[in-house]
Amino acid sequence: MEKVKVGIVGLGRLGRQHAENLAFRIPHCELTAICSVVEEEVWEVQSKWKIPYGYTTYEEMLKNKELDAIFIASPSGFHCNQIQLALEAGFHVFSEKPLGLYLEEAIDVEKAVKAHPNQVFMLGFMRRYDKSYLAAKEKIDRGEIGDPIFIRCYGLDPAAKIESFLQFAEANYSGGLFIDMAIHDLDLARWYLGTEGKEVWAIGGGYERKEFDALQDAETGAAMVRFENNAIGVFLAGRNCAHGYHIETEIIGTKGSLRIGTVPERNQVVLFNELGAVQECVDGFLERFEQAYRSEVEEFISCILEGRKPAVTVQDGVESTRLGYACKESFEKRELVKNKAHTGIV
């Protein structure tokens, strides 16, 4: 196999970026088919980029035997079913996070992946492929901060996008703040600390936009997690960040600490004027993690060509969903919740 032929489903904001990477930036890869329920999107991309096949029905795309792999960038609620259908059809599969909106369906996907051991499955936790987050992981593994005992994560989306976030929540596509947004930070915590969450306390609400309260979702929410090894995690996620897109992570160990993204600077330019020293901030996840989105897909294609499995596994998706769902449950019930992974409950 000289090139991996890929079909992508979902041409929204992130799907379009992934499609462009697959078509023009990923070595040994060919974007052969695109699929969207929006016919105009399919026609536009297919004609502009000269993509051989275009579909408005996912099941029809799966009948295309020229394809080697399926890339899933559809809304979160479709991921589980589409993953299982693609695996059953014999394809390698990459799916954007989250694995699923509900724990039960995430476990079903785990079973499906294990039933197809000769196919590559990879989940889009792209921060693991960001150079800064990778460098922090390497330092932790080398013992440069001792044993990591505390992690603090901020995941704040720009206030300028709050209307689109609200529409996304109203359509029930996201699974809520902790599943949609905080899941990246929950995965990072598991990765950095090397352990699973045990207990969760989550709070939040609609502060600027009360509509989130009516949806039982949070515009801004926070969770405190006690991990199995007694390490502490504090996670803040929000939809209303005035200065832009702010992703920040701090890990404190017994012998030192690390911080990533403390200032979400767009570049190294500093403007000095009557406002003081001003730095522009990144305005969204596509800009901040442009390199990481490309690197994770390069890894997926390499795994297919080399016959190996990626480091991000389906179990990472299940366990992050467990923890995210525990946060969601704690927020909705307003009480301390045991992570189901540690109670024997499925």
Side-chain angles (χ1 to χ4, degrees):
M1 186 190 303
E2 293 183 1
K3 281 193 174 184
V4 177
K5 294 186 176 183
V6 181
I8 188 171
V9 58
L11 293 172
R13 194 165 41 145
L14 179 53
R16 183 70 171 254
Q17 181 66 51
H18 277 309
E20 191 170 333
N21 285 339
L22 290 164
F24 304 113
R25 302 188 184 99
I26 307 299
H28 312 296
C29 173
E30 178 184 311
L31 181 60
T32 305
I34 56 173
C35 179
S36 171
V37 295
V38 182
E39 188 173 358
E40 292 80 5
E41 288 181 344
V42 175
W43 180 85
E44 178 201 355
V45 173
Q46 191 179 6
S47 59
K48 184 177 180 180
W49 297 351
K50 310 302 181 187
I51 307 301
Y53 300 99
Y55 302 92
T56 55
T57 304
Y58 180 67
E59 288 76 9
E60 285 298 312
M61 184 169 72
L62 295 184
K63 295 177 183 177
N64 188 332
K65 299 306 179 184
E66 289 186 34
L67 302 177
D68 302 302
I70 299 297
F71 198 107
I72 298 170
S74 53
S76 302
F78 297 100
H79 290 181
C80 285
N81 183 54
Q82 290 178 342
I83 291 168
Q84 292 178 78
L85 288 175
L87 289 170
E88 290 166 5
F91 295 109
H92 304 290
V93 179
F94 183 104
S95 176
E96 258 304 326
K97 64 81 192 169
L99 187 61
L101 299 186
Y102 304 99
L103 180 56
E104 293 80 3
E105 63 180 11
I107 292 172
D108 286 342
V109 170
E110 182 179 27
K111 293 175 182 176
V113 171
K114 290 180 177 178
H116 297 84
N118 296 323
Q119 291 157 239
V120 173
F121 174 77
M122 185 170 172
L123 192 62
F125 282 134
M126 82 293 182
R127 292 189 199 174
R128 293 194 187 203
Y129 294 88
D130 176 77
K131 291 179 180 178
S132 296
Y133 280 95
L134 271 170
K137 173 65 171 171
E138 291 167 359
K139 291 180 185 298
I140 291 170
D141 289 347
R142 288 197 299 264
E144 294 187 23
I145 64 168
D147 296 325
I149 58 172
F150 177 89
I151 184 166
R152 172 185 61 84
C153 299
Y154 291 165
L156 304 173
D157 274 342
K161 304 289 177 64
I162 198 167
E163 287 292 344
S164 61
F165 296 142
L166 187 56
Q167 292 172 14
F168 194 59
E170 287 173 339
N172 199 28
Y173 285 153
S174 73
L177 185 75
F178 295 103
I179 294 289
D180 179 45
M181 284 189 64
I183 193 116
H184 279 298
D185 292 317
L186 298 175
D187 175 68
L188 284 176
R190 296 178 53 257
W191 190 45
Y192 284 142
L193 300 177
T195 188
E196 302 295 347
K198 188 174 184 179
E199 293 179 316
V200 174
W201 175 260
I203 58 176
Y207 300 97
E208 178 68 17
R209 299 298 296 270
K210 298 298 181 183
E211 297 98 314
F212 284 97
D213 291 332
L215 296 168
Q216 281 194 300
D217 198 358
E219 170 199 302
T220 302
M224 178 175 283
V225 178
R226 181 161 71 93
F227 288 86
E228 273 192 333
N229 63 357
N230 209 36
I232 304 162
V234 176
F235 305 90
L236 175 68
R239 309 283 196 187
N240 190 31
C241 184
H243 59 266
Y245 181 65
H246 192 143
I247 302 298
E248 180 178 351
T249 305
E250 178 180 30
I251 308 103
I252 296 176
T254 53
K255 296 180 180 178
S257 63
L258 293 165
R259 287 186 182 180
I260 308 157
T262 300
V263 179
E265 57 192 14
R266 170 166 281 165
N267 50 45
Q268 296 298 311
V269 176
V270 180
L271 172 66
F272 296 93
N273 60 17
E274 68 276 7
L275 299 176
V278 181
Q279 285 182 280
E280 289 187 349
C281 297
V282 294
D283 66 357
F285 58 89
L286 293 178
E287 181 181 2
R288 168 60 181 86
F289 291 107
E290 179 182 4
Q291 166 265 312
Y293 281 121
R294 189 170 61 252
S295 295
E296 67 174 356
V297 182
E298 289 174 352
E299 172 68 358
F300 175 61
I301 298 300
S302 294
C303 283
I304 294 172
L305 293 172
E306 296 168 13
R308 59 182 176 83
K309 297 297 177 71
V312 181
T313 67
V314 68
Q315 187 176 2
D316 290 315
V318 171
E319 296 306 329
S320 296
T321 301
R322 284 189 200 274
L323 191 51
Y325 207 74
C327 293
K328 175 181 171 69
E329 184 180 353
S330 175
F331 165 70
E332 291 176 352
K333 292 183 176 180
R334 300 190 177 191
E335 63 185 35
L336 182 72
V337 168
K338 300 281 187 182
N339 189 8
K340 290 181 180 180
H342 305 280
T343 63
I345 300 171
V346 174

